[in-house]
Amino acid sequence: MKVGIVGLPSCGKSTLFNALTRGKAETGRFGSGRAEVNRGRTLVPDDRLAWLASHYHPKKTSPASVDFLDVPGITPGSSEKGSAGLIADLRTVEALLHVVRVFDDAATPHPDGSVDPVRDAGNLETELIFADLMVVEKRLERIQSDLKKGLDKRALGAEQELLLRVQAALEEGMPVRRLGLNDEEAHALRGYALLTLKPMILIGNVGEDEPLGGTGDAKLRAWAEEAGMGYLPVAAQIEAEIAQMSDEEARAFLEDLGLTEPSRDRVIRAAFDTLSLISFFTFGEDECKAWTLTRNSDAVEAASKIHSDIARGFIRAEIVAFDVFEAGGSWNAAKESGKHRLEGKEYVVQDGDCVIFRFNV
Ligand SMILES: Nc1nc2c(ncn2[C@@H]2O[C@H](COP(=O)(O)OP(=O)(O)OP(=O)(O)O)[C@@H](O)[C@H]2O)c(=O)[nH]1
Ligand SMILES: [Mg+2]
């Protein structure tokens, strides 16, 4: 999974990136003129995988991972610089974290002179809408000229009609994700990688005075709810410091605050939820591995994550739900209890399924 971090300048994107990836990207360099992109990978924490590994002692344990992309601040007019640069980078991600500055700190002057989370969130949304509008307008011009040339009228006509609807929404300031497109329409737009069609989670970057794991800014939360987005308050600065601690130190630090996990884990879970992702597991003495799958995928789609041969030669899947596996203490115990299942191609894989694929190539 690939997730992009966006926001206005100096709102704390790189600080959040460091908190999420335990990275050391440079922060606080607004105005340095260097438009550099930071990339990092985070392993997805999963107690279930940890249990499987403690059971099998495999040579290798492979958690799922999330790739984060941190781009420079988007300023009014960023989108006009065209497809080059950061907007183009963002088109490749599956979901966006939109960071909004909530913290107040005289040491970091706000580019607009005052801290106003709702204003900022709206301003960034407007920039993303502009960026999408440019893509849509360009394509509409192209379609028009192709239609004049007498090219494939039916397909082009359908595309034009859809794009005109999208254009009208964007012109009214509505992100495409709120247009209520059906699956087919969303699929038809995939090639344009519209930014406002991507699932988005709002991150309120709250200050040190807000308790970690607190509720964040109420107005910003209401704004997010209104826009149909998830909202998570994160104290990016402190979380970035925690991310640099050893696991032991971090645990003790969080425990003192009455917390069980760093924000990193909450953000990753929110990204999984927003994208409707689930995990299934393969296991054994060689490797225990967590696989990421879109909810409602069938057994063949799950198999194809592992290898196209397994999907092609799929016979059946042997499945034990993780909870049953853990409660019984072993695969064989699950088998004997009758809670072990044989499933065919159409089986819809569930979060936490432990799977052995039977296939023939
Ligand atoms: N007090 C406080 N300062 C913060 C917090 N988060 C970020 N900062 C500071 O704000 C400044 C900007 O943070 P960055 O993480 O570089 O912000 P950015 O969004 O990546 O900035 P650009 O990439 O330049 O747009 C830095 O000096 C950070 O130390 C916070 O939660 N509290
Ligand atoms: Mg930055």
Side-chain angles (χ1 to χ4, degrees), residues 306-344:
I306 301 175
H307 201 286
S308 55
D309 282 350
I310 305 182
R312 203 151 25 88
F314 182 93
I315 300 171
R316 59 182 164 271
E318 287 187 43
I319 293 180
V320 171
F322 174 80
D323 292 345
V324 171
F325 199 158
E326 187 186 31
S330 73
W331 182 259
N332 283 338
K335 253 184 154 163
E336 281 154 22
S337 74
K339 286 178 179 157
H340 159 277
R341 290 173 287 129
L342 288 180
E343 300 283 3

mmCIF file of all heavy atoms in Angstrom, residues 306-344:
data_model
loop_
_atom_site.group_PDB
_atom_site.id
_atom_site.type_symbol
_atom_site.label_atom_id
_atom_site.label_comp_id
_atom_site.label_asym_id
_atom_site.label_seq_id
_atom_site.Cartn_x
_atom_site.Cartn_y
_atom_site.Cartn_z
ATOM 1 N N ILE A 306 0.020 -14.197 -3.904
ATOM 2 C CA ILE A 306 1.208 -14.983 -3.583
ATOM 3 C C ILE A 306 1.949 -15.355 -4.863
ATOM 4 O O ILE A 306 3.140 -15.129 -4.983
ATOM 5 C CB ILE A 306 0.810 -16.241 -2.782
ATOM 6 C CG1 ILE A 306 0.089 -15.790 -1.501
ATOM 7 C CG2 ILE A 306 2.029 -17.094 -2.464
ATOM 8 C CD1 ILE A 306 -0.476 -16.920 -0.678
ATOM 9 N N HIS A 307 1.211 -15.905 -5.805
ATOM 10 C CA HIS A 307 1.834 -16.257 -7.088
ATOM 11 C C HIS A 307 0.750 -16.516 -8.124
ATOM 12 O O HIS A 307 -0.252 -17.155 -7.806
ATOM 13 C CB HIS A 307 2.706 -17.513 -6.925
ATOM 14 C CG HIS A 307 3.739 -17.628 -8.011
ATOM 15 N ND1 HIS A 307 3.425 -17.985 -9.290
ATOM 16 C CD2 HIS A 307 5.066 -17.397 -7.998
ATOM 17 C CE1 HIS A 307 4.514 -17.985 -10.026
ATOM 18 N NE2 HIS A 307 5.544 -17.626 -9.272
ATOM 19 N N SER A 308 0.978 -16.073 -9.345
ATOM 20 C CA SER A 308 -0.034 -16.271 -10.381
ATOM 21 C C SER A 308 -0.259 -17.769 -10.633
ATOM 22 O O SER A 308 -1.367 -18.176 -10.980
ATOM 23 C CB SER A 308 0.362 -15.559 -11.665
ATOM 24 O OG SER A 308 1.635 -15.994 -12.072
ATOM 25 N N ASP A 309 0.769 -18.606 -10.437
ATOM 26 C CA ASP A 309 0.607 -20.057 -10.609
ATOM 27 C C ASP A 309 -0.398 -20.635 -9.621
ATOM 28 O O ASP A 309 -1.170 -21.537 -9.959
ATOM 29 C CB ASP A 309 1.943 -20.785 -10.368
ATOM 30 C CG ASP A 309 2.867 -20.646 -11.581
ATOM 31 O OD1 ASP A 309 2.386 -20.172 -12.628
ATOM 32 O OD2 ASP A 309 4.055 -21.009 -11.451
ATOM 33 N N ILE A 310 -0.357 -20.122 -8.398
ATOM 34 C CA ILE A 310 -1.256 -20.638 -7.363
ATOM 35 C C ILE A 310 -2.691 -20.264 -7.705
ATOM 36 O O ILE A 310 -3.621 -21.055 -7.503
ATOM 37 C CB ILE A 310 -0.861 -20.097 -5.962
ATOM 38 C CG1 ILE A 310 0.604 -20.423 -5.676
ATOM 39 C CG2 ILE A 310 -1.769 -20.666 -4.876
ATOM 40 C CD1 ILE A 310 1.098 -19.980 -4.318
ATOM 41 N N ALA A 311 -2.879 -19.073 -8.265
ATOM 42 C CA ALA A 311 -4.217 -18.651 -8.677
ATOM 43 C C ALA A 311 -4.683 -19.489 -9.865
ATOM 44 O O ALA A 311 -5.821 -19.967 -9.908
ATOM 45 C CB ALA A 311 -4.200 -17.172 -9.032
ATOM 46 N N ARG A 312 -3.792 -19.671 -10.826
ATOM 47 C CA ARG A 312 -4.147 -20.394 -12.045
ATOM 48 C C ARG A 312 -4.480 -21.866 -11.746
ATOM 49 O O ARG A 312 -5.431 -22.415 -12.269
ATOM 50 C CB ARG A 312 -2.996 -20.296 -13.050
ATOM 51 C CG ARG A 312 -3.398 -20.486 -14.480
ATOM 52 C CD ARG A 312 -2.493 -19.721 -15.477
ATOM 53 N NE ARG A 312 -1.157 -19.455 -14.977
ATOM 54 C CZ ARG A 312 -0.117 -20.297 -15.112
ATOM 55 N NH1 ARG A 312 -0.263 -21.440 -15.726
ATOM 56 N NH2 ARG A 312 1.077 -19.958 -14.634
ATOM 57 N N GLY A 313 -3.664 -22.480 -10.899
ATOM 58 C CA GLY A 313 -3.870 -23.902 -10.618
ATOM 59 C C GLY A 313 -4.669 -24.158 -9.352
ATOM 60 O O GLY A 313 -4.642 -25.259 -8.790
ATOM 61 N N PHE A 314 -5.421 -23.148 -8.922
ATOM 62 C CA PHE A 314 -6.154 -23.226 -7.644
ATOM 63 C C PHE A 314 -7.081 -24.438 -7.583
ATOM 64 O O PHE A 314 -7.887 -24.661 -8.492
ATOM 65 C CB PHE A 314 -6.970 -21.943 -7.465
ATOM 66 C CG PHE A 314 -7.730 -21.872 -6.170
ATOM 67 C CD1 PHE A 314 -7.176 -21.267 -5.054
ATOM 68 C CD2 PHE A 314 -9.006 -22.420 -6.065
ATOM 69 C CE1 PHE A 314 -7.877 -21.201 -3.852
ATOM 70 C CE2 PHE A 314 -9.711 -22.361 -4.871
ATOM 71 C CZ PHE A 314 -9.137 -21.749 -3.765
ATOM 72 N N ILE A 315 -6.959 -25.232 -6.535
ATOM 73 C CA ILE A 315 -7.891 -26.343 -6.325
ATOM 74 C C ILE A 315 -8.818 -25.979 -5.171
ATOM 75 O O ILE A 315 -10.022 -25.892 -5.326
ATOM 76 C CB ILE A 315 -7.146 -27.661 -6.022
ATOM 77 C CG1 ILE A 315 -6.230 -28.022 -7.200
ATOM 78 C CG2 ILE A 315 -8.159 -28.781 -5.780
ATOM 79 C CD1 ILE A 315 -5.295 -29.165 -6.926
ATOM 80 N N ARG A 316 -8.236 -25.751 -4.005
ATOM 81 C CA ARG A 316 -9.045 -25.253 -2.876
ATOM 82 C C ARG A 316 -8.137 -24.607 -1.830
ATOM 83 O O ARG A 316 -6.911 -24.733 -1.897
ATOM 84 C CB ARG A 316 -9.874 -26.378 -2.262
ATOM 85 C CG ARG A 316 -9.069 -27.511 -1.741
ATOM 86 C CD ARG A 316 -9.971 -28.608 -1.178
ATOM 87 N NE ARG A 316 -9.208 -29.840 -1.033
ATOM 88 C CZ ARG A 316 -9.076 -30.747 -1.989
ATOM 89 N NH1 ARG A 316 -9.667 -30.573 -3.156
ATOM 90 N NH2 ARG A 316 -8.353 -31.831 -1.792
ATOM 91 N N ALA A 317 -8.782 -23.956 -0.896
ATOM 92 C CA ALA A 317 -8.029 -23.318 0.185
ATOM 93 C C ALA A 317 -8.436 -23.975 1.499
ATOM 94 O O ALA A 317 -9.620 -24.176 1.752
ATOM 95 C CB ALA A 317 -8.337 -21.827 0.224
ATOM 96 N N GLU A 318 -7.440 -24.347 2.275
ATOM 97 C CA GLU A 318 -7.717 -24.828 3.640
ATOM 98 C C GLU A 318 -7.622 -23.631 4.548
ATOM 99 O O GLU A 318 -6.627 -22.906 4.530
ATOM 100 C CB GLU A 318 -6.649 -25.835 4.076
ATOM 101 C CG GLU A 318 -6.759 -27.177 3.414
ATOM 102 C CD GLU A 318 -5.762 -28.151 4.039
ATOM 103 O OE1 GLU A 318 -5.633 -28.164 5.289
ATOM 104 O OE2 GLU A 318 -5.105 -28.854 3.283
ATOM 105 N N ILE A 319 -8.656 -23.460 5.360
ATOM 106 C CA ILE A 319 -8.717 -22.221 6.144
ATOM 107 C C ILE A 319 -9.072 -22.465 7.605
ATOM 108 O O ILE A 319 -9.973 -23.255 7.925
ATOM 109 C CB ILE A 319 -9.751 -21.258 5.521
ATOM 110 C CG1 ILE A 319 -9.209 -20.807 4.155
ATOM 111 C CG2 ILE A 319 -10.026 -20.063 6.440
ATOM 112 C CD1 ILE A 319 -10.059 -19.870 3.409
ATOM 113 N N VAL A 320 -8.327 -21.785 8.465
ATOM 114 C CA VAL A 320 -8.699 -21.704 9.879
ATOM 115 C C VAL A 320 -8.655 -20.228 10.258
ATOM 116 O O VAL A 320 -7.665 -19.545 9.980
ATOM 117 C CB VAL A 320 -7.725 -22.516 10.765
ATOM 118 C CG1 VAL A 320 -7.991 -22.238 12.245
ATOM 119 C CG2 VAL A 320 -7.850 -24.009 10.483
ATOM 120 N N ALA A 321 -9.726 -19.739 10.863
ATOM 121 C CA ALA A 321 -9.724 -18.343 11.309
ATOM 122 C C ALA A 321 -8.672 -18.196 12.409
ATOM 123 O O ALA A 321 -8.497 -19.113 13.223
ATOM 124 C CB ALA A 321 -11.103 -17.965 11.842
ATOM 125 N N PHE A 322 -8.007 -17.039 12.424
ATOM 126 C CA PHE A 322 -6.901 -16.893 13.385
ATOM 127 C C PHE A 322 -7.343 -17.175 14.822
ATOM 128 O O PHE A 322 -6.649 -17.882 15.563
ATOM 129 C CB PHE A 322 -6.263 -15.499 13.314
ATOM 130 C CG PHE A 322 -5.234 -15.323 14.389
ATOM 131 C CD1 PHE A 322 -3.965 -15.852 14.241
ATOM 132 C CD2 PHE A 322 -5.563 -14.709 15.595
ATOM 133 C CE1 PHE A 322 -3.025 -15.767 15.255
ATOM 134 C CE2 PHE A 322 -4.625 -14.606 16.620
ATOM 135 C CZ PHE A 322 -3.349 -15.137 16.442
ATOM 136 N N ASP A 323 -8.500 -16.655 15.226
ATOM 137 C CA ASP A 323 -8.947 -16.829 16.619
ATOM 138 C C ASP A 323 -9.090 -18.304 16.989
ATOM 139 O O ASP A 323 -8.787 -18.708 18.110
ATOM 140 C CB ASP A 323 -10.286 -16.113 16.845
ATOM 141 C CG ASP A 323 -10.122 -14.606 16.754
ATOM 142 O OD1 ASP A 323 -8.961 -14.146 16.804
ATOM 143 O OD2 ASP A 323 -11.132 -13.909 16.608
ATOM 144 N N VAL A 324 -9.572 -19.086 16.017
ATOM 145 C CA VAL A 324 -9.739 -20.526 16.252
ATOM 146 C C VAL A 324 -8.364 -21.186 16.370
ATOM 147 O O VAL A 324 -8.110 -22.017 17.253
ATOM 148 C CB VAL A 324 -10.534 -21.155 15.077
ATOM 149 C CG1 VAL A 324 -10.540 -22.667 15.181
ATOM 150 C CG2 VAL A 324 -11.946 -20.594 15.044
ATOM 151 N N PHE A 325 -7.462 -20.783 15.487
ATOM 152 C CA PHE A 325 -6.089 -21.296 15.469
ATOM 153 C C PHE A 325 -5.450 -21.036 16.835
ATOM 154 O O PHE A 325 -4.912 -21.939 17.496
ATOM 155 C CB PHE A 325 -5.328 -20.555 14.366
ATOM 156 C CG PHE A 325 -4.057 -21.220 13.894
ATOM 157 C CD1 PHE A 325 -3.549 -20.910 12.632
ATOM 158 C CD2 PHE A 325 -3.358 -22.134 14.680
ATOM 159 C CE1 PHE A 325 -2.374 -21.489 12.169
ATOM 160 C CE2 PHE A 325 -2.183 -22.721 14.223
ATOM 161 C CZ PHE A 325 -1.697 -22.393 12.967
ATOM 162 N N GLU A 326 -5.558 -19.799 17.285
ATOM 163 C CA GLU A 326 -4.917 -19.406 18.548
ATOM 164 C C GLU A 326 -5.565 -20.141 19.736
ATOM 165 O O GLU A 326 -4.864 -20.668 20.608
ATOM 166 C CB GLU A 326 -5.022 -17.891 18.742
ATOM 167 C CG GLU A 326 -4.241 -17.390 19.942
ATOM 168 C CD GLU A 326 -4.469 -15.901 20.199
ATOM 169 O OE1 GLU A 326 -5.568 -15.399 19.892
ATOM 170 O OE2 GLU A 326 -3.540 -15.260 20.715
ATOM 171 N N ALA A 327 -6.901 -20.183 19.724
ATOM 172 C CA ALA A 327 -7.604 -20.817 20.848
ATOM 173 C C ALA A 327 -7.260 -22.299 20.936
ATOM 174 O O ALA A 327 -7.054 -22.843 22.034
ATOM 175 C CB ALA A 327 -9.109 -20.617 20.690
ATOM 176 N N GLY A 328 -7.177 -22.950 19.781
ATOM 177 C CA GLY A 328 -6.875 -24.383 19.772
ATOM 178 C C GLY A 328 -5.403 -24.662 20.037
ATOM 179 O O GLY A 328 -5.040 -25.765 20.440
ATOM 180 N N GLY A 329 -4.581 -23.681 19.773
ATOM 181 C CA GLY A 329 -3.145 -23.831 20.039
ATOM 182 C C GLY A 329 -2.357 -24.395 18.881
ATOM 183 O O GLY A 329 -1.141 -24.279 18.853
ATOM 184 N N SER A 330 -3.028 -25.018 17.917
ATOM 185 C CA SER A 330 -2.292 -25.531 16.750
ATOM 186 C C SER A 330 -3.237 -25.785 15.582
ATOM 187 O O SER A 330 -4.464 -25.853 15.763
ATOM 188 C CB SER A 330 -1.567 -26.845 17.098
ATOM 189 O OG SER A 330 -2.519 -27.890 17.198
ATOM 190 N N TRP A 331 -2.658 -25.933 14.417
ATOM 191 C CA TRP A 331 -3.423 -26.216 13.199
ATOM 192 C C TRP A 331 -4.160 -27.545 13.348
ATOM 193 O O TRP A 331 -5.336 -27.662 13.019
ATOM 194 C CB TRP A 331 -2.463 -26.245 12.006
ATOM 195 C CG TRP A 331 -3.109 -26.469 10.680
ATOM 196 C CD1 TRP A 331 -3.159 -27.651 9.995
ATOM 197 C CD2 TRP A 331 -3.784 -25.505 9.867
ATOM 198 N NE1 TRP A 331 -3.825 -27.473 8.808
ATOM 199 C CE2 TRP A 331 -4.221 -26.156 8.707
ATOM 200 C CE3 TRP A 331 -4.061 -24.143 10.026
ATOM 201 C CZ2 TRP A 331 -4.912 -25.511 7.691
ATOM 202 C CZ3 TRP A 331 -4.754 -23.493 9.008
ATOM 203 C CH2 TRP A 331 -5.176 -24.176 7.857
ATOM 204 N N ASN A 332 -3.454 -28.542 13.871
ATOM 205 C CA ASN A 332 -4.069 -29.866 14.018
ATOM 206 C C ASN A 332 -5.229 -29.845 15.002
ATOM 207 O O ASN A 332 -6.256 -30.493 14.769
ATOM 208 C CB ASN A 332 -3.028 -30.898 14.455
ATOM 209 C CG ASN A 332 -2.169 -31.300 13.257
ATOM 210 O OD1 ASN A 332 -2.593 -31.150 12.109
ATOM 211 N ND2 ASN A 332 -0.963 -31.769 13.528
ATOM 212 N N ALA A 333 -5.075 -29.080 16.075
ATOM 213 C CA ALA A 333 -6.166 -28.972 17.047
ATOM 214 C C ALA A 333 -7.390 -28.369 16.370
ATOM 215 O O ALA A 333 -8.527 -28.806 16.589
ATOM 216 C CB ALA A 333 -5.738 -28.115 18.231
ATOM 217 N N ALA A 334 -7.162 -27.364 15.528
ATOM 218 C CA ALA A 334 -8.276 -26.735 14.804
ATOM 219 C C ALA A 334 -8.925 -27.750 13.883
ATOM 220 O O ALA A 334 -10.155 -27.818 13.769
ATOM 221 C CB ALA A 334 -7.768 -25.525 14.016
ATOM 222 N N LYS A 335 -8.097 -28.560 13.232
ATOM 223 C CA LYS A 335 -8.606 -29.581 12.311
ATOM 224 C C LYS A 335 -9.502 -30.557 13.058
ATOM 225 O O LYS A 335 -10.591 -30.896 12.608
ATOM 226 C CB LYS A 335 -7.423 -30.344 11.708
ATOM 227 C CG LYS A 335 -7.182 -29.996 10.253
ATOM 228 C CD LYS A 335 -6.070 -30.829 9.666
ATOM 229 C CE LYS A 335 -6.260 -30.936 8.173
ATOM 230 N NZ LYS A 335 -5.081 -31.376 7.452
ATOM 231 N N GLU A 336 -9.019 -30.985 14.234
ATOM 232 C CA GLU A 336 -9.775 -31.971 15.001
ATOM 233 C C GLU A 336 -11.070 -31.393 15.564
ATOM 234 O O GLU A 336 -12.056 -32.114 15.725
ATOM 235 C CB GLU A 336 -8.898 -32.544 16.130
ATOM 236 C CG GLU A 336 -7.945 -33.602 15.587
ATOM 237 C CD GLU A 336 -6.673 -33.747 16.424
ATOM 238 O OE1 GLU A 336 -6.703 -33.367 17.611
ATOM 239 O OE2 GLU A 336 -5.668 -34.209 15.862
ATOM 240 N N SER A 337 -11.060 -30.106 15.835
ATOM 241 C CA SER A 337 -12.267 -29.500 16.414
ATOM 242 C C SER A 337 -13.352 -29.289 15.356
ATOM 243 O O SER A 337 -14.449 -28.858 15.677
ATOM 244 C CB SER A 337 -11.919 -28.160 17.059
ATOM 245 O OG SER A 337 -11.687 -27.197 16.037
ATOM 246 N N GLY A 338 -13.014 -29.550 14.099
ATOM 247 C CA GLY A 338 -14.013 -29.405 13.038
ATOM 248 C C GLY A 338 -14.180 -27.972 12.574
ATOM 249 O O GLY A 338 -15.078 -27.663 11.797
ATOM 250 N N LYS A 339 -13.323 -27.070 13.029
ATOM 251 C CA LYS A 339 -13.454 -25.670 12.615
ATOM 252 C C LYS A 339 -12.494 -25.322 11.489
ATOM 253 O O LYS A 339 -12.286 -24.157 11.169
ATOM 254 C CB LYS A 339 -13.237 -24.753 13.819
ATOM 255 C CG LYS A 339 -14.425 -24.783 14.761
ATOM 256 C CD LYS A 339 -14.170 -23.909 15.942
ATOM 257 C CE LYS A 339 -15.367 -23.910 16.883
ATOM 258 N NZ LYS A 339 -14.982 -23.547 18.232
ATOM 259 N N HIS A 340 -11.908 -26.342 10.934
ATOM 260 C CA HIS A 340 -11.016 -26.191 9.803
ATOM 261 C C HIS A 340 -11.883 -26.359 8.558
ATOM 262 O O HIS A 340 -12.739 -27.239 8.512
ATOM 263 C CB HIS A 340 -9.945 -27.288 9.939
ATOM 264 C CG HIS A 340 -9.239 -27.643 8.687
ATOM 265 N ND1 HIS A 340 -9.751 -28.522 7.770
ATOM 266 C CD2 HIS A 340 -8.038 -27.265 8.216
ATOM 267 C CE1 HIS A 340 -8.885 -28.656 6.768
ATOM 268 N NE2 HIS A 340 -7.843 -27.907 7.028
ATOM 269 N N ARG A 341 -11.723 -25.474 7.569
ATOM 270 C CA ARG A 341 -12.639 -25.501 6.434
ATOM 271 C C ARG A 341 -11.912 -25.685 5.112
ATOM 272 O O ARG A 341 -10.777 -25.241 4.954
ATOM 273 C CB ARG A 341 -13.432 -24.195 6.383
ATOM 274 C CG ARG A 341 -14.440 -24.077 7.510
ATOM 275 C CD ARG A 341 -15.080 -22.708 7.540
ATOM 276 N NE ARG A 341 -14.143 -21.710 8.024
ATOM 277 C CZ ARG A 341 -13.889 -20.567 7.405
ATOM 278 N NH1 ARG A 341 -14.485 -20.267 6.280
ATOM 279 N NH2 ARG A 341 -13.032 -19.719 7.933
ATOM 280 N N LEU A 342 -12.592 -26.325 4.187
ATOM 281 C CA LEU A 342 -12.090 -26.410 2.805
ATOM 282 C C LEU A 342 -12.967 -25.505 1.971
ATOM 283 O O LEU A 342 -14.189 -25.657 1.971
ATOM 284 C CB LEU A 342 -12.216 -27.844 2.287
ATOM 285 C CG LEU A 342 -11.243 -28.855 2.867
ATOM 286 C CD1 LEU A 342 -11.500 -30.233 2.246
ATOM 287 C CD2 LEU A 342 -9.796 -28.425 2.570
ATOM 288 N N GLU A 343 -12.360 -24.553 1.291
ATOM 289 C CA GLU A 343 -13.158 -23.583 0.550
ATOM 290 C C GLU A 343 -12.741 -23.549 -0.916
ATOM 291 O O GLU A 343 -11.591 -23.811 -1.253
ATOM 292 C CB GLU A 343 -12.982 -22.180 1.153
ATOM 293 C CG GLU A 343 -13.405 -22.066 2.615
ATOM 294 C CD GLU A 343 -14.921 -22.007 2.818
ATOM 295 O OE1 GLU A 343 -15.672 -22.104 1.826
ATOM 296 O OE2 GLU A 343 -15.343 -21.863 3.981
ATOM 297 N N GLY A 344 -13.693 -23.201 -1.756
ATOM 298 C CA GLY A 344 -13.447 -23.152 -3.191
ATOM 299 C C GLY A 344 -13.121 -21.747 -3.676
ATOM 300 O O GLY A 344 -12.927 -20.831 -2.878
#
